[in-house]
Amino acid sequence: MKSIIKRLIVSMMALAMVLAGIQVSSMRVDAASTTGKVPISCYTLSGRVTTYTTKACTTVSGYIDSVDLTKIKAFYSEYSSVQVEYPTNKGKKTAYAKVSAFFQDVNFSTSTGKTGKELVAYRRSTGTATIGTVYATDICIVTGYANGRTQLIYPVGNGSTFKMGWVSGTYSFNSGSSSFGSATVSNGTYTLVSALNNNYVADISGGALASQANCQLYQSNGSNAQKFTLTYNSDGYYTIKNVGSGKVLDCAGASSANGTNVWQYDSNSSSAQRWKITGAGNGYYTITCKCNGKCLDVSGGNVYNGNNIQIYESNGTNSQKWKLVSTSANTSSSSSTPVAQQMVNYELSQLGIGDYKGNNNVKYNTWYYGRNVSGNGYAWCMAFQAYCCNQITGSNNAIPKTASCTSAVNIFKSRGQFQYSKYYGGNYAPKAGDLVYYTNGSKFSSCHVGMIISASVNGYLQTVEGNIVCSDGNYKVVKFTNNPKRTINSRYVLGYATPNY
């Protein structure tokens, strides 16, 4: 009887709220992780973030700038939102924001563990602006990965408050463990980029398929001979398998002598084919063979095509440091998506990203200059194209790493990869993956660049372009489909580059 009365009272209360004009909303499905470790002091993932007056994030309240230290006070998983406190010119303001504005992975695991080492925490995944220290004994939560770094929630002070920042290296929990092991890397396919010169990578000589084919240093070319699949094993070591041959990196004869050769060999699960990957700072790793504890090393520290890769005792030099650049988005013999189309897809994923009021402080410039920049003189339309090429191919062979459109055009001309537009005497029909270069009237210089995303439609170029001023005064990545200046006959269109992806 009491249960019936209780249900009747609840129903009457709900009816009363409806009659009073109060909307009763249904519970939404959880769309993001939450954690009880609050408040969390942190910064936005990148750029300015919109705040809202309600948990549902429907009515705009204001903005959080990229330099604002924000405090996350509560999670609302049913709305994928958080309550935030942030500074304004009138003091502090409390509002709501989307989880995705702060967390690299909104569905992060809430498992906890210790880093096992002291690490510098940075504001963003680019490794800029230090914000504190993560200590070896701190109990942390991993919330995502980017640019060879890990986003962590970690305790500060007496452990009653928390910060979120980025640390160098890719950390993850060992299965069933409550603490971190050595810096580990997610299973996947990578190029092994030398710290001696980022244009050179580990390579199987001649793309050979046979056992005992040599591992060497070679200029990056995107071939399968330079792609390696890393697989984590229960002993804490990785196998490193070449994509082209299907054979694994092996220390010749399991020798422990300095200078022992590294080659590929049929997999046999021996310790000569097991490798430990350990963070070496600034996004680099050392790769150590289990059979002898010695490092993968570029012979003599010399950079040239064909120089040998060997085993050598640890010495902390750049000869033994490697950057692991994911090639999971790149084409291979088994991929059905051409790289040109992958480039288009990636650039479309960047739409809306940009700077604040034309200050040029944007991730593409940070990548290009290796630091945050702000102010005039840092136009980023070309840096955007080079950045996207690097993200998809792991190198800048196809699209040169330059911030100058004119310089890029001259490079493409020297390669025989540039075609003038119809206005300037050409007859080339641009296709997806080509770059379109614009000019203010000179046939010998370029002022802007975009990527062709499909064939022209009714004479209009279909493009994605960076550094375009928008109605809110910010400069962003924008798509054009029927712009009168961007036509196949326009004087503004200088011509087209045809990168060799």
Side-chain angles (χ1 to χ4, degrees):
M1 184 65 180
K2 290 181 179 180
S3 177
I4 295 174
I5 293 173
K6 184 177 180 180
R7 288 198 299 270
L8 180 60
I9 291 172
V10 171
S11 299
M12 291 177 67
M13 289 175 65
L15 177 61
M17 286 191 291
V18 172
L19 293 175
I22 300 174
Q23 183 178 1
V24 181
S25 62
S26 60
M27 180 66 73
R28 304 184 185 184
V29 176
D30 285 4
S33 296
T34 65
T35 174
K37 296 186 180 300
V38 290
I40 303 168
S41 296
C42 62
Y43 293 86
T44 64
L45 277 179
S46 63
R48 179 180 260 199
V49 163
T50 303
T51 62
Y52 302 88
T53 59
T54 65
K55 303 172 188 176
C57 295
T58 54
T59 304
V60 173
S61 172
Y63 300 93
I64 300 173
D65 282 322
S66 61
V67 296
D68 291 343
L69 180 60
T70 302
K71 185 179 291 184
I72 294 175
K73 302 174 71 175
F75 286 79
Y76 303 98
S77 61
E78 65 269 30
Y79 296 107
S80 294
S81 66
V82 289
Q83 185 184 51
V84 291
E85 180 184 275
Y86 60 99
T88 69
N89 56 8
K90 296 181 179 180
K92 295 180 179 179
K93 183 175 181 178
T94 299
Y96 302 89
K98 296 178 181 178
V99 171
S100 57
F102 299 93
F103 294 85
Q104 181 70 22
D105 181 357
V106 297
N107 294 311
F108 61 88
S109 168
T110 56
S111 299
T112 58
K114 300 177 183 179
T115 63
K117 62 171 67 176
E118 185 174 310
L119 300 164
V120 175
Y122 298 93
R123 184 180 297 178
R124 292 197 173 83
S125 64
T126 51
T128 53
T130 60
I131 60 172
T133 302
V134 179
Y135 294 100
T137 56
D138 287 344
I139 304 297
C140 306
I141 294 174
V142 172
T143 54
Y145 306 94
N147 299 322
R149 293 181 175 85
T150 303
Q151 188 185 43
L152 293 173
I153 298 172
Y154 62 97
V156 293
N158 60 7
S160 61
T161 59
F162 301 86
K163 269 190 174 182
M164 182 164 66
W166 293 85
V167 297
S168 295
T170 306
Y171 294 83
S172 61
F173 291 112
N174 293 328
S175 179
S177 172
S178 61
S179 64
F180 288 107
S182 299
T184 56
V185 177
S186 300
N187 289 348
T189 302
Y190 299 84
T191 52
L192 311 184
V193 179
S194 175
L196 293 168
N197 184 322
N198 283 180
N199 291 320
Y200 287 78
V201 302
D203 172 284
I204 298 301
S205 180
L209 304 181
S211 287
Q212 301 185 6
N214 195 42
C215 183
Q216 62 181 6
L217 191 71
Y218 207 88
Q219 191 166 10
S220 177
N221 57 31
S223 69
N224 285 343
Q226 299 180 349
K227 300 174 189 174
F228 297 87
T229 300
L230 275 58
T231 303
Y232 188 73
N233 299 289
S234 58
D235 61 359
Y237 290 79
Y238 289 81
T239 51
I240 303 176
K241 182 172 69 175
N242 182 253
V243 170
S245 66
K247 300 185 186 298
V248 300
L249 286 191
D250 178 283
C251 179
S255 172
S256 61
N258 284 337
T260 296
N261 195 36
V262 175
W263 56 23
Q264 68 177 13
Y265 209 86
D266 287 329
S267 178
N268 55 33
S269 301
S270 69
S271 62
Q273 299 180 350
R274 291 285 200 266
W275 305 87
K276 177 167 284 186
I277 299 177
T278 306
N282 297 319
Y284 289 95
Y285 300 86
T286 57
I287 302 175
T288 307
C289 191
K290 184 178 181 179
C291 74
N292 51 35
K294 295 187 176 181
C295 298
L296 199 68
D297 176 282
V298 178
S299 179
N302 297 315
V303 177
Y304 59 86
N305 285 339
N307 189 23
N308 197 41
I309 291 177
Q310 60 183 7
I311 287 294
Y312 206 90
E313 63 188 25
S314 178
N315 56 30
T317 66
N318 284 345
S319 296
Q320 300 179 350
K321 294 178 183 177
W322 304 88
K323 184 178 292 185
L324 307 182
V325 178
S326 174
T327 64
S328 57
N330 199 358
T331 189
S332 69
S333 58
S334 60
S335 173
S336 59
T337 306
V339 179
Q341 186 59 49
Q342 293 179 45
M343 286 289 299
V344 168
N345 295 344
Y346 186 79
E347 294 208 2
L348 288 169
S349 77
Q350 304 295 292
L351 292 176
I353 296 175
D355 62 30
Y356 176 62
K357 304 295 186 182
N359 66 358
N360 292 317
N361 187 359
V362 68
K363 68 177 182 178
Y364 315 112
N365 268 343
T366 302
W367 167 82
Y368 177 76
Y369 293 101
R371 57 184 173 86
N372 282 345
V373 297
S374 184
N376 295 329
Y378 299 103
W380 50 272
C381 59
M382 186 62 219
F384 167 67
Q385 298 297 337
Y387 172 93
C388 293
C389 178
N390 187 272
Q391 295 301 299
I392 292 301
T393 69
S395 74
N396 284 102
N397 292 329
I399 297 178
K401 186 176 181 180
T402 176
S404 166
C405 293
T406 297
S407 293
V409 167
N410 289 336
I411 291 171
F412 283 119
K413 285 180 177 179
S414 70
R415 296 175 179 176
Q417 296 174 355
F418 186 82
Q419 309 290 331
Y420 279 108
S421 68
K422 287 188 177 180
Y423 185 91
Y424 292 96
N427 58 7
Y428 179 75
K431 63 184 184 304
D434 289 346
L435 297 181
V436 54
Y437 284 92
Y438 303 104
T439 180
N440 286 326
S442 170
K443 191 175 181 179
F444 304 103
S445 65
S446 174
C447 61
H448 186 57
V449 62
M451 171 158 285
I452 301 293
I453 60 175
S454 69
S456 302
V457 176
N458 298 324
Y460 290 107
L461 297 177
Q462 311 293 296
T463 70
V464 172
E465 300 171 20
N467 203 28
I468 299 296
V469 64
C470 297
S471 58
D472 60 3
N474 299 326
Y475 286 65
K476 301 178 183 177
V477 179
V478 171
K479 179 171 70 172
F480 291 98
T481 57
N482 59 354
N483 185 273
K485 289 182 67 176
R486 292 162 170 81
T487 66
I488 58 176
N489 296 312
S490 173
R491 180 181 180 182
Y492 182 52
V493 179
L494 176 64
Y496 312 97
T498 56
N500 182 15
Y501 298 114

